[in-house]
Structures are given as structure tokens and as C-alpha cells.
Amino acid sequence: MHVPSPSGPLHRAQPYALGLFRAVVGLLFACHGAASLFGVLGGRNGGTVDIGTWPGWYAAVIQLAAGGLVMLGLGTRSAAFLASGSMAYAYFVVHQPESLFPLTNGGEASAMFCWAFLLLVFTGPGAFALDGLLAARTADATARAERAPVTA
């Protein structure tokens, strides 16, 4: 079995592939929340969940907020942890009592989102994340401040 070199093209592309994965998963998750909250994008047959209903409205808020944060790469690990947990809850409380397997209980999306977000908790955001840009700007500002002469 051939193992790719740690310096090969696939290895070098890994942060970019991870960044695209994060952005797409976050966008898809946010779309679920927007569909439930605002009745857009063809979700819920044009209807919305009633404000404050458990667990649907809270799940939709988490989907929209956490999905948006993950898509942008802002607080990715924390937002992904929250999203993963909400999808684990959705799977085990809503879908799994109907049947054991996701294919027969309608829980494929919940299971896939749960595992995708859990992966992001451990890998981080990859390339193109706002967290990376903000960290670079902060480090740059700190370095400039350290180089500046002290005046009294």
C-alpha cells in the first residue's frame, strides 16, 4: 500500500480542502436553520417553527448561528462542538426511537452533520477561516507594538 509523502501535493492541499469542507458544511447547516426559522429555501413547505417551541425552534437557532460561525471560520471548534451535540441529540431523541438505522429512521442528515462537526472540533477550521485572519492581524499588531520605541 502506498502512503502519500507528508510533503506531497495532497498533504500541502489539506488545509485548503479542510477549509472548503468547513465552509460547505457550515453553509448547509445554516440553510437548515434559515429554512426552519424563516420558511425560505424550500424548507418546511414554506412554513416556520413556532418561536420558542422545544426542540425545533432551539435547534433551528443553533443551526443558523453555529452553521454561520463554522462557515466563516469564527470560533469554529466551539460552534462545531455545539452543532455536533445538537445533531447527536436530534438523532438519538428524534430519529433513533423510530428505528435503529439512519436509513430507515430519517436520521441520515443528523448523523452526517454530527460526525462532520465532530471532525471539525478535532481538526480546526483549515484555510480561509476568519479566526486565522484575526489571529494574524493580532500577532502583527503585537509585533509592531513590541518594535515601537518607548517614549516617556
Side-chain angles (χ1 to χ4, degrees), residues 99-143:
S99 172
L100 180 61
F101 297 106
L103 194 58
T104 56
N105 67 23
E108 303 99 325
S110 296
M112 287 297 295
F113 274 124
C114 179
W115 286 105
F117 284 120
L118 190 61
L119 177 68
L120 290 171
V121 169
F122 287 94
T123 62
F128 317 119
L130 288 182
D131 276 343
L133 293 174
L134 295 174
R137 290 180 81 192
T138 303
D140 207 26
T142 302

Side-chain angles (χ1 to χ4, degrees), residues 28-128:
L28 294 173
F29 200 59
C31 286
H32 274 274
S36 296
L37 291 172
F38 309 118
V40 297
L41 306 170
R44 301 189 55 84
N45 299 322
T48 61
V49 292
D50 293 329
I51 294 174
T53 56
W54 178 259
W57 185 81
Y58 294 93
V61 169
I62 289 171
Q63 290 167 358
L64 182 60
L69 289 170
V70 167
M71 178 182 68
L72 296 171
L74 231 119
T76 301
R77 290 178 195 259
S78 298
F81 184 76
L82 177 63
S84 179
S86 75
M87 289 295 95
Y89 177 90
Y91 182 77
F92 287 110
V93 173
V94 177
H95 297 285
Q96 196 271 333
E98 298 296 318
S99 172
L100 180 61
F101 297 106
L103 194 58
T104 56
N105 67 23
E108 303 99 325
S110 296
M112 287 297 295
F113 274 124
C114 179
W115 286 105
F117 284 120
L118 190 61
L119 177 68
L120 290 171
V121 169
F122 287 94
T123 62
F128 317 119

